[in-house]
Amino acid sequence: MPRYVAFFGSLNVGSSNRVTMADLRYAFEREGLENVETVVASGNVLFDFDERPTEGLEDMLAHVMQDRLDIATFAAVRSRDEVAHAITANPFAADGDESKVHTLFLSAQPDPAAFEKLAADHATRGPERLAIGDRALYIDYVDGAGNSKLTNMFIERRLGCKGTARNIRSLTRILEKMN
């Protein structure tokens, strides 16, 4: 059975989206997901499930979160190969700080014109470097994500899709656990 990871946006950040990792695991197990494991208490859930496109799993897990835990959130589901690709395809991983280089996993593939608008709108706002990937945006938060004006809301408005980011350090740790 294939191994997947679900990256949830906005879990454990605000009080309205708090959930224990035990409750999260239990909700997944009730849906027939196997070998459920949380990694870092911020919405990363590993699981085994029948092989299927990750986009369909995203819809299923967003429904589970709403139905079972009363949390409206976005789920970005990726296979082991997709996580590995998100690390190796990130053009900033080789020369950036692994805690500041991120992959923003997107709910859809943005239109190239939307990415160009994002890059142009952000050009004078900060030093971040941006590149588009496969249902992903690669970002080097040169001065740190906490100091950046390049917020998820700014990105999502321009790309027309939702996203949740993880840095290279976290992705490497998650990938190791997926083996």
Side-chain angles (χ1 to χ4, degrees):
M1 210 177 288
R3 190 96 169 128
Y4 298 96
V5 60
F7 300 108
F8 288 99
S10 304
L11 284 188
N12 290 344
V13 173
S15 60
S16 64
N17 285 338
R18 288 204 175 278
V19 62
T20 69
M21 295 302 104
D23 288 344
L24 190 56
R25 283 190 302 273
Y26 180 69
F28 272 46
E29 289 165 352
R30 284 186 61 190
E31 295 301 317
L33 304 163
E34 297 180 13
N35 299 315
V36 178
E37 176 184 3
T38 57
V39 183
V40 187
S42 61
N44 306 306
V45 184
L46 302 174
F47 61 95
D48 296 341
F49 198 67
D50 295 330
E51 181 138 0
R52 63 179 56 195
T54 52
E55 292 92 337
L57 288 171
E58 291 171 348
D59 294 340
M60 180 184 98
L61 294 179
H63 175 75
V64 167
M65 294 297 286
Q66 181 66 56
D67 186 56
R68 303 260 187 233
L69 300 169
D70 198 30
I71 296 174
T73 186
F74 160 68
V77 178
R78 300 298 187 267
S79 67
R80 186 202 177 287
D81 289 345
E82 288 171 319
V83 172
H85 181 74
I87 296 168
T88 60
N90 189 318
F92 313 120
D95 66 348
D97 180 326
E98 67 180 7
S99 66
K100 295 177 182 174
V101 173
H102 288 68
T103 297
L104 180 71
F105 295 98
L106 300 171
S107 59
Q109 183 65 35
D111 183 279
F115 172 72
E116 293 303 324
K117 176 158 178 45
L118 168 67
D121 288 354
H122 182 68
T124 60
R125 293 174 53 101
E128 295 81 10
R129 300 185 292 169
L130 304 172
I132 197 70
D134 183 24
R135 287 190 312 143
L137 179 67
Y138 302 119
I139 307 168
D140 183 0
Y141 286 104
V142 178
D143 294 330
N147 299 320
S148 178
K149 293 180 183 177
L150 185 63
T151 64
N152 261 21
M153 185 179 294
F154 183 87
I155 294 167
E156 289 175 356
R157 282 185 181 159
R158 282 150 184 85
L159 295 184
C161 54
K162 294 181 185 268
T164 186
R166 302 299 185 271
N167 67 30
I168 294 294
R169 180 180 295 154
S170 294
L171 289 176
T172 301
R173 185 171 161 203
I174 289 166
L175 184 62
E176 289 170 358
K177 289 190 158 281
M178 292 181 84
N179 288 330

